[in-house]
Amino acid sequence: FEYQAYRITGAGVETTPVLSRGKLNLLEGTMVVSSDRRMIATCGRVTRSNSLINPRDWGGLEVVRFDPATGKVSDPILLPLGGAGIAGTGSISGRGGESVAFSPDGTKLYADEWVSDTVRNLFQFDIGSHDSATIAASKNSIIPAGLVPGYASVRLRLFNDSIYVVGKNKKTVGIIAQPNASWTSCGF
C-alpha cells in the first residue's frame, strides 16, 4: 500500500507526489484524516472479486502518522478488528471492515467490522499513545449487544463533534454522541 500526497498551493496542485509506504494491502476501502491533520486511518474489507484479483489483498485497519508540512506518512500500525480471521485482518469474518472515523480530539478511532451481509460490529480504539500493543489492547465493541443487525453496509461520518452511523438498508441513523469519551461513555 502506497500513500501519495500532493501539495496544494495558491499556484495549484504539484504534479509530483510524496510517496510513503504503509502495511495494509488494500484494493478498496475508506481513508480518513484526523481533524488536526496529523493522522490518517484506512479501512477496507476483502470481497470475492478483489481476493480473486489479488489473493494478498486481505483488507483490515491501519493508522499512520502524517506530517502535513512534508506530506510524509510514518509509523504504520495494523490494528485487529475481531477474532482470528485470515492473515492480516484480525477479523471474525476474515474480511475486515468498510468504514473508519476519528474522534474530534483525535484520541479515539472508530471502525466497523464486516460479520455477514447484514451484520456489523463497531469498535473503538484509544490511539493516543500510537503504540501498537497499547492500541490493540484498547479495542472495545461499542454496541451493547455486540453487533449491529440489518446493516448491509456502514459509513461512519464525523459531523458537529458526533459520529453518525449510516447503513444501507437501514431506515435509521445511529449516533456516537460523545466520541471523545471512552467506549463505556461514548453514547452510541
Side-chain angles (χ1 to χ4, degrees):
F1 189 76
E2 186 174 70
Y3 292 89
Q4 298 180 7
Y6 293 86
R7 181 178 301 276
I8 301 172
T9 67
V13 178
E14 292 183 8
T15 58
T16 303
V18 175
L19 304 176
S20 305
R21 285 256 176 225
K23 291 182 176 182
L24 191 61
N25 195 15
L26 184 63
L27 288 177
E28 60 183 71
T30 303
M31 178 185 290
V32 294
V33 179
S34 63
S35 57
D36 68 358
R37 300 174 32 214
R38 300 271 176 208
M39 290 187 289
I40 297 173
T42 54
C43 183
R45 71 182 181 99
V46 172
T47 64
R48 286 186 184 97
S49 61
N50 65 23
S51 64
L52 293 174
I53 293 168
N54 182 0
R56 291 191 56 225
D57 177 38
W58 52 73
L61 176 61
E62 178 178 70
V63 63
V64 297
R65 292 181 188 213
F66 178 69
D67 184 340
T70 65
K72 289 299 275 181
V73 165
S74 63
D75 304 323
I77 295 174
L78 285 175
L79 298 175
L81 286 174
I86 62 173
T89 66
S91 170
I92 292 170
S93 63
R95 292 183 63 185
E98 288 184 308
S99 195
V100 63
F102 285 101
S103 63
D105 69 0
T107 64
K108 309 291 186 295
L109 185 67
Y110 292 85
D112 83 301
E113 179 205 13
W114 189 95
V115 177
S116 73
D117 284 338
T118 59
V119 179
R120 298 291 186 275
N121 201 341
L122 293 176
F123 292 108
Q124 180 196 72
F125 294 88
D126 186 331
I127 58 170
S129 70
H130 205 80
D131 173 74
S132 60
T134 303
I135 295 170
S138 75
K139 178 193 77 174
N140 284 293
S141 176
I142 63 166
I143 302 169
L147 301 173
V148 181
Y151 282 93
S153 180
V154 169
R155 296 294 179 256
L156 303 174
R157 296 291 182 258
L158 176 63
F159 180 73
N160 284 345
D161 293 334
S162 295
I163 295 176
Y164 292 84
V165 182
V166 180
K168 192 172 158 187
N169 301 344
K170 244 347 209 178
K171 294 182 181 181
T172 60
V173 175
I175 185 170
I176 302 169
Q178 306 289 327
N180 293 332
S182 69
W183 67 281
T184 57
S185 307
C186 70
F188 178 72

